[in-house]
């Protein structure tokens, strides 16, 4: 009797293991970022100590390595390190510089923390989805019946976190080469590539597998229609407002809102778009959306020049 694990189950568990390792890495990174944030958060104290030195600089002559200073803002007595080669005014200027640098570092630390926190939540959701799928099959006694569709669903959820397979030349197999045919409508707006799904199945594909985390995702609010992706290379600025508005006009044109004067379009980064387990084709959950109001635009008219 064979004890070999079904191939799809083995692959799904392998994906879970990789996601789990990535989650542990992100959680360790988050702890370090919290320490950095607390350290950078001292900028306010530096500024207050500088103000306190400037309030009466004669009390703190040159040569002092440390001093007990009355905080001019809180009235509390605090000890602070000084540069003994500087007088009180020079030490205050040094503290002001540290405060400005600390404020910038604090803002950066908060941004990095928020990004890491979002990533850890997304990774936890993926693990929960995988565990839910496996447990559901186990309870029904159908653990060996995990299908290719089940595997693809998990791969779609993990696409933005796990490295893509590459060919012998080291190129991503899923990258779209210039001139290559894709199953979606494809336009170029002011140099930016824009892709639209033709139906519910393609909408699933374009939103959960084809889209890269940094791409811009659009969809008409409250109407059925194409999922739209503006291809945005990693670590590049977002597309200009005019490009987003034109892509939104295409989204309205290829939707049930085509015959309206104006329609609201939801816009977010593709990394904030997820598919709920067992959701029907074309139905996704989009978070952190911004709404813009545009009129529908026929692509023939948009690109007639």
């Amino acid at each position: 009797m064979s004890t070999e694990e079904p191939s799809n189950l083995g692959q799904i568990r392998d994906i879970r293991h990789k996601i789990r390792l990535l989650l542990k890495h992100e959680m360790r990174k988050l702890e370090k970022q919290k320490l950095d944030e607390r350290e950078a958060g001292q900028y306010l104290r530096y500024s207050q100590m500088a103000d306190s030195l400037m309030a009466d600089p004669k009390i703190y002559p040159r040569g002092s390595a440390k001093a007990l200073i009355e905080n001019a803002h809180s009235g509390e007595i605090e000890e602070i390190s000084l540069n003994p080669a500087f007088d009180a005014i020079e030490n205050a200027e040094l503290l002001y510089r540290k405060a400005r640098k600390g404020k910038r570092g604090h803002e950066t630390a908060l941004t990095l923390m928020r990004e890491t926190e979002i990533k850890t939540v997304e990774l936890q959701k993926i693990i929960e989805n995988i565990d839910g799928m496996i447990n559901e099959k186990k309870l029904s006694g159908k653990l060996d019946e995990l299908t290719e569709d089940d595997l693809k669903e998990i791969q779609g959820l993990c696409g933005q976190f796990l490295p893509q397979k590459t060919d012998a030349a080291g190129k991503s197999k899923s990258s779209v080469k210039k001139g290559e045919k894709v199953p979606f409508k494809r336009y170029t707006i002011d140099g930016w590539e824009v892709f639209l799904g033709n139906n519910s199945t393609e909408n699933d594909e374009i939103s959960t597998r084809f889209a890269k985390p940094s791409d811009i995702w659009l969809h008409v609010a409250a109407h059925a229609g194409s999922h739209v992706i503006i291809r945005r290379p990693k670590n590049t600025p977002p597309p200009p407002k005019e490009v987003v508005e034109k892509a939104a006009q295409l989204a309205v044109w290829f939707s049930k809102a085509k015959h309206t004067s104006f329609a609201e379009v939801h816009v977010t980064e593709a990394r904030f778009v997820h598919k709920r387990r067992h959701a029907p084709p074309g139905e996704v959950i989009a978070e952190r959306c911004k709404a813009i109001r545009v009129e529908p635009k026929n692509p023939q008219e948009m690109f007639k020049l």
Side-chain angles (χ1 to χ4, degrees):
M1 179 175 170
S2 174
T3 59
E4 185 178 348
E5 190 171 67
S7 60
N8 289 334
L9 175 60
Q11 291 184 65
I12 289 173
R13 281 182 168 160
D14 182 56
I15 290 172
R16 185 193 186 282
H17 176 67
K18 291 176 180 177
I19 292 295
R20 183 65 185 167
L21 291 177
L22 184 55
L23 176 60
K24 288 183 178 179
H25 169 76
E26 293 300 318
M27 292 180 75
R28 287 194 297 268
K29 184 168 73 174
L30 181 59
E31 288 305 311
K32 184 179 183 304
Q33 289 171 343
K34 287 179 178 179
L35 291 175
D36 293 341
E37 183 271 333
R38 284 196 289 270
E39 177 65 25
Q42 293 290 316
Y43 75 88
L44 183 59
R45 180 172 179 268
Y46 293 143
S47 179
Q48 291 179 348
M49 290 295 96
D51 291 344
S52 303
L53 282 173
M54 294 296 287
D56 197 351
K58 294 180 182 178
I59 299 179
Y60 312 102
R62 193 188 305 270
S64 301
K66 288 187 178 181
L68 291 174
I69 300 177
E70 181 180 353
N71 190 318
H73 295 265
S74 66
E76 296 179 356
I77 303 298
E78 300 183 36
E79 185 179 71
I80 189 168
S81 298
L82 300 174
N83 188 328
F86 293 166
D87 61 22
I89 294 176
E90 290 170 326
N91 269 302
E93 291 174 349
L94 180 64
L95 288 169
Y96 282 133
R97 286 198 295 272
K98 290 179 71 175
R100 289 192 294 270
K101 182 179 178 182
K103 185 177 182 180
R104 292 193 297 270
H106 189 248
E107 292 170 351
T108 300
L110 286 174
T111 299
L112 292 174
M113 277 177 56
R114 283 193 290 267
E115 291 177 352
T116 305
E117 285 169 348
I118 290 170
K119 194 170 182 180
T120 57
V121 169
E122 292 173 344
L123 290 167
Q124 287 168 343
K125 285 181 180 178
I126 290 173
I127 291 173
E128 289 172 4
N129 280 326
I130 294 175
D131 289 344
M133 176 183 288
I134 292 175
N135 290 335
E136 184 179 313
K137 293 288 185 180
K138 186 183 292 184
L139 289 172
S140 62
K142 299 179 180 179
L143 198 56
D144 59 344
E145 295 181 16
L146 283 163
T147 65
E148 283 294 322
D149 288 340
D150 293 326
L151 176 59
K152 287 180 179 179
E153 180 181 335
I154 296 301
Q155 289 172 332
L157 289 172
C158 304
Q160 68 189 82
F161 297 112
L162 297 181
Q164 297 176 337
K165 294 181 180 180
T166 56
D167 57 20
K171 296 180 180 179
S172 171
K173 291 182 178 179
S174 63
S175 62
V176 180
K177 302 175 185 177
K178 188 174 181 180
E180 180 182 348
K181 290 185 178 180
V182 293
F184 318 117
K185 297 183 184 74
R186 181 177 184 176
Y187 300 97
T188 301
I189 300 177
D190 298 339
W192 294 78
E193 282 191 306
V194 178
F195 301 89
L196 298 89
N198 292 294
N199 51 50
S200 296
T201 301
E202 287 190 9
N203 282 342
D204 268 5
E205 178 71 22
I206 202 171
S207 294
T208 62
R209 296 184 181 90
F210 177 79
K212 300 181 184 300
S214 57
D215 290 347
I216 305 301
W217 181 92
L218 306 92
H219 186 263
V220 177
H223 292 85
S226 293
H227 292 193
V228 181
I229 291 295
I230 303 175
R231 181 66 91 201
R232 173 192 174 194
K234 188 178 181 181
N235 298 325
T236 61
K241 179 182 177 182
E242 295 77 12
V243 172
V244 176
E245 288 181 348
K246 288 179 180 178
Q249 289 177 322
L250 290 177
V252 178
W253 180 264
F254 291 106
S255 77
K256 297 294 185 182
K258 176 178 179 179
H259 300 294
T260 61
S261 298
F262 289 91
E264 189 175 89
V265 177
H266 288 166
V267 183
T268 188
E269 291 184 21
R271 65 191 176 116
F272 298 124
V273 179
H274 313 280
K275 188 166 182 66
R276 178 174 51 84
R277 285 197 65 217
H278 306 308
E283 181 182 302
V284 296
I285 298 172
E287 301 172 335
R288 301 195 172 204
C289 291
K290 294 182 179 179
I292 59 175
R293 195 164 179 264
V294 296
E295 62 181 347
K297 180 76 75 170
N298 187 331
Q300 292 183 353
E301 181 181 350
M302 184 180 293
F303 301 107
K304 63 184 177 181
L305 295 179

